[in-house]
Every structure is written in structure tokens, then in C-alpha cells.
Amino acid sequence: MSFRVDKLPPTLYLYNTWGKIAITYTIYKNKGNMTNMKLSEELKWRGFINQTTYSDIKVIDGEPITFYWGVDPSADSMQAGNFAIAMMIKHFIKHGHKPILLVGGATGIIGDPGGKDVERELKALEVIKNNKASIANQYKKIFGEKGIIQVDNYEWFKDMTYIDFLRTVGKNAPLSQMLGREFVKSRLGSEGSGISYAEFSYSLMQGYDFVHLFKKYGATLQVCGADQWGNCIAGVELIRKMEGGDAHVWSAPLVINKTTGRKFGKSEDGAVWLKEERTSVFRFYQFWLNSGDLDVEDYLKIYTELEKPEIDRVMSEQRKNPGQRPAQKRLALEVTTIVHGAEKAESVKNASEALFGLKDYKDLGKNEYIELARELPIIKAKDGDSLVDILVKGKLASSKTEAKRFLDSSAVYINGSQIPMDMTTLEAKDAIHGYVVVRRGKNESVLVSL
């Protein structure tokens, strides 16, 4: 038997051969995972509104809209900047809108000139092919496959001749409009490096993507980052001229790190990638864990699916215990889970806590040591090897004399514990899952394989 929860009376009566039994009940709602926000309200609250062609943004609160987003395969992975738009798309999907995810196999051959001061170097076709497959897999991991349409614009450009392109697209693109693009003006100015015809035509190719998806799938909206606004408007204009249709663009602002004032998504080592071969899961987790206090609330809104009541609760806890950094810890776990899965997220969380003295190494499982092995320098040793030799071999000391000084001053730790003064060798019994973590001082560690 089933009931509509909102139609149940405050008391239910069940009848059997012994009579009537009254049952009262309470319905509990998980407020942390529920929201009454409409999509326009949620995107505004999360900081996902920059520019849009909609005269009234409340239109996205109505009937389902088929929309698309594209990533060019200039690399074999998306970065943290792309990921912000991906998270915005997840909210569009959650509110019932229908996504098309595009990999720019054709536009990637040319390269997007936007934001570049000089001509892009053309990539080999085989590299682009591999990059496409990698980005398509990232789409699946982030969005799943149910209800998602994936396309590659190489499919509709590969058989289009140059004459076809000029007649169908070029004829409907005013030169004055193309020359007005900011990236074109900057490249053609007195201080600019110039621009090739190929890169100059890039926005027309992207614009035709919109036309194709409008005709085949009924797509009427393109979502993008603020730096793609001009390219997206080209598609709106082409749809109006070629099809007599009405199409729109929704752009999100570029995320700025308030602590540094720089564009978000860069670390000291460069870009933060979603692919673990480029940015290890451990370093990915650490990147979010190291978010500044000025930024963390914004990042929770942008890069997680946590609802407002839960984010408010986390930030309340943050204000009470800022030194414990509960907001950064929650952010790192949530984002790493979305990108790399719950199992790896939990493993790097545990490994990180052990490395920084918040968890006992004995409590770590084999997966956690696998993550440590990917992150820390590894050296091999045998049962009974000298700690002095291990410190030098692991580059925790520059010489045997310095190593002895570190040992004499109790600056050396084994698996998080300060070693006894009389301990001079590493024993097999010290190993956990075949490894020993040797640390000198606060932050210098090496993984010893026994």
C-alpha cells in the first residue's frame, strides 16, 4: 500500500481482527539537501550570472530548455575554470533543462584565439583525437550518461567544403561585427601580434555549431564563461539570419581568487587539471583544502552541489572555529568526490590528515598508502638500514653530518611519531603496508619502501 505523503492525515488507523490500531507519525525533511529556490534565484545566489541575452532571466524557471556547452580539445583535460561552468550546468540539469555537451574536434584543430596574445600552435590530429576522447570521458564522469547528448563538431564540419562554408556561414557574418571582437581588436592593434585568417574565422565555426544544434536538437541556449561571450553571440546572430530563429546566451563570470586577485584555477605549479595524470588526486584535494578564508564560501557555492542551508551551517561552523578550517575541509572532500569519486576522495583525505598529523598512520589502509606513494618521494631500504643513510638518500639531509644533527635534535619522525634518541636504524616492524613515512621537521617527508 502506498500514500501521497502530503495527503496523509495526522493519524492513520489500521484494522485487523483484534480491532483498530492508531498510528501517528512524523515526517522529517533533510533541510540540508532541499531548496525551494528557482533556477534563476539559485544561479544568482551561487554567483553564476555575468551576461545574458534574456531580457528576463526568469524564463529559465519555466519550460525545459535544450542548451549546449562546448570544450575544445586543446588539452586532454578540463581545468578548474571549465569545471565552474560544468557545475553551473549541473544546476540547469537539476532544474529540468536538457544538455548537449560538445567536444570541439573541428574548432580544436584551429584553436580558440580568445584570451591569447599570440597565434596558437596547431596540434597534431592524433593528439586532438586523444584529447577528445579524454574530455568525453570527463563529461561522463561529471554528468553521468543518462539524458546527456554528446556531440563532436568535427562530424558536421568534416564534409563541408570551403565554398559551402562561405555561402552558408560567411555570407551571413558582417565583417564589421567580427572586427569588433575584443580579441581581434587587441591582436590587430599597434601593440598586437597579428591574427591569422584561421583564428579570425574561429568564431564563425563556433557560431555555426549553434546553428547546427538549433536545427537538429532544438537547442536555443548556449552557456559559457565570460571570455566566450563574443563567440557565442556570433551563433545567436547566425541563427537569426539563417533560420529566422530566436536563440540566447548565458555566461558565468570568471572566478577570481579574492586572496590573490588572480584568475582562479592556477596553483604555484600551474593550472589545476581534472585529470589525475596531470594534477594528482592528492594535490587536487590539497588545492581546495588551501583555499583562502575570503574565498571558501564562494567556492562552496560554485564548486559543490551543497544547498544553501548546508553551506550556511558549514560557514557558521567556520566562523566559530576558523583555525579548524571546516569549510575548506568540506570543500576539498566535496569537489574531489565529484571529480574523482568517493573512494579516492576519502583515501586522499585520510592520507592528507595523516601527513599533517591529524590521523594516525596505523589507521590508514592500503589505498591511502597508494595515494601517499603517488605524492611523496619514494626510496627503498632494508631492515636495519641506518637512519643517517636514509635521511641522506631521501634528501631530508644534505650530508651525514647534518643527518646526525637532525637525529640528535629529535627533528626526525617515523610514521608521525618522534623517534627515541637511541634509535639509529629502521626496522621492518616499523613498516605499515610495506612503507614507513620518515619526516624531518614539519613538512619534509619521504616514503620508505621496506
Side-chain angles (χ1 to χ4, degrees), residues 232-243:
C232 297
I233 288 297
V236 171
E237 291 299 315
L238 285 176
I239 288 173
R240 182 178 62 83
K241 290 182 177 180
M242 295 173 63
E243 304 297 324

Side-chain angles (χ1 to χ4, degrees), residues 17 94 112 152 192 202 290 294 343 397 405 412:
T17 55
K94 180 179 68 178
D112 184 359
D152 177 355
Y202 178 93
N290 292 329
L294 294 175
E343 184 177 345
R405 188 168 69 248
V412 179

Side-chain angles (χ1 to χ4, degrees), residues 157-279:
F157 275 114
K158 64 181 180 181
D159 296 324
M160 182 180 286
T161 67
Y162 182 63
I163 293 175
D164 290 338
F165 184 76
L166 290 180
R167 284 181 63 87
T168 58
V169 182
K171 191 68 175 176
N172 292 287
L175 192 59
S176 58
Q177 185 182 83
M178 296 179 68
L179 290 170
R181 300 272 188 266
E182 285 301 320
F183 76 85
V184 174
K185 289 192 290 185
S186 66
R187 294 271 286 273
L188 292 179
S190 58
E191 302 296 323
S193 62
I195 187 170
S196 69
Y197 180 74
E199 286 198 349
F200 180 70
S201 303
Y202 178 93
S203 63
L204 293 186
M205 294 181 69
Q206 185 172 321
Y208 185 72
D209 288 342
F210 205 170
V211 174
H212 177 86
L213 297 175
F214 175 86
K215 292 166 64 177
K216 184 169 182 177
Y217 297 103
T220 58
L221 173 65
Q222 182 177 4
V223 300
C224 63
D227 55 346
Q228 288 292 311
W229 176 260
N231 287 338
C232 297
I233 288 297
V236 171
E237 291 299 315
L238 285 176
I239 288 173
R240 182 178 62 83
K241 290 182 177 180
M242 295 173 63
E243 304 297 324
D246 190 23
H248 295 276
V249 178
W250 183 291
S251 73
L254 301 180
V255 182
I256 301 298
N257 184 321
K258 293 178 182 176
T259 302
T260 64
R262 297 195 300 267
K263 181 180 175 182
F264 179 76
K266 301 286 184 180
S267 69
E268 292 183 1
D269 299 324
V272 176
W273 302 90
L274 273 58
K275 188 173 183 177
E276 64 180 287
E277 288 81 3
R278 282 180 170 263
T279 300

Side-chain angles (χ1 to χ4, degrees), residues 67-83:
F67 69 96
Y68 95 95
W69 175 53
V71 173
D72 274 352
S74 55
D76 62 352
S77 173
M78 291 188 275
Q79 300 180 18
N82 304 120
F83 186 51

Side-chain angles (χ1 to χ4, degrees), residues 33-51:
N33 293 319
M34 297 186 68
T35 179
N36 293 319
M37 284 188 184
K38 294 180 179 179
L39 179 56
S40 61
E41 297 169 338
E42 182 163 12
L43 295 185
K44 183 176 181 180
W45 170 71
R46 290 186 183 272
F48 281 129
I49 300 179
N50 181 59
Q51 289 177 282

